Amino acid sequence: MARRPVLGSLLVCGAATAGLLHQLAFVGPSAQPAVARGLVAARVSADYLERQGPKDADVPFTPTGGGPEHQVVYKKRPFGILRYQPGAGMKGAMAMEIIPKSRYPGDPQGQAFSGGVKAGYVVKSINGADVLSAEFGKIMDLFDDEVADPRFSKSTA
């Protein structure tokens, strides 16, 4: 009988620790990478980078700090950001399309909206590591945040 409270306590502590580790910080418009430390969960596909990457209408930007900082903590994937734009020289990342609502309490795809992320926010850090000048592909690998959006489905059904 005493094992259940102990096991439950361990699970709650583990979930709280995992939640604290998924912190992102953005800087408003105008360390060592986790990839180098072996902390990347999975590599993303070229298809993902094509959908998430630059579009012809995007205005080039140079990722710099100094603007007001907006910290967001994500509890699970997907975060609710549909597309990021790389900065000049494929360095840095800017949130470009955010799912504009949270469908229900705890909706993972509404986390960015609920957290106040807006189009034009530049990703400053992931889990405390500065990524302003990191390669765009590495930032996308760190996010590993592919939204299951039917608009991008290649299915004909």
Side-chain angles (χ1 to χ4, degrees):
M1 281 287 197
R3 294 183 77 172
R4 287 186 184 211
V6 172
L7 181 59
S9 298
L10 287 173
L11 289 173
V12 169
C13 289
T17 302
L20 291 174
L21 293 177
H22 291 289
Q23 293 186 12
L24 301 174
F26 291 87
V27 290
S30 258
Q32 180 184 11
V35 173
R37 296 184 310 217
L39 299 177
V40 175
R43 302 278 179 199
V44 293
S45 68
D47 215 21
Y48 170 75
L49 290 175
E50 182 181 315
R51 287 193 310 273
Q52 301 294 85
K55 304 292 183 219
D56 290 339
D58 289 345
V59 177
F61 76 99
T62 302
T64 58
E69 192 170 307
H70 185 86
Q71 185 170 349
V72 181
V73 177
Y74 295 112
K75 296 180 181 175
K76 53 188 165 185
R77 290 176 177 91
F79 308 139
I81 299 175
L82 294 173
R83 187 172 74 83
Y84 298 89
Q85 173 188 342
M90 294 297 285
K91 303 279 187 180
M94 178 190 293
M96 294 302 290
E97 294 179 38
I98 289 85
I99 293 178
K101 63 184 176 204
S102 184
R103 300 169 295 177
Y104 53 86
D107 176 19
Q109 291 189 24
Q111 293 177 97
F113 172 78
S114 297
V117 176
K118 300 196 181 336
Y121 278 15
V122 176
V123 180
K124 179 182 180 192
S125 65
I126 301 174
N127 291 334
D130 183 13
V131 294
L132 272 175
S133 60
E135 293 287 333
F136 180 72
K138 288 182 181 181
I139 294 171
M140 295 298 100
D141 285 344
L142 289 170
F143 279 149
D144 188 28
D145 175 41
E146 190 156 0
V147 175
D149 191 330
R151 294 181 302 163
F152 300 122
S153 175
K154 291 186 176 182
S155 172
T156 57

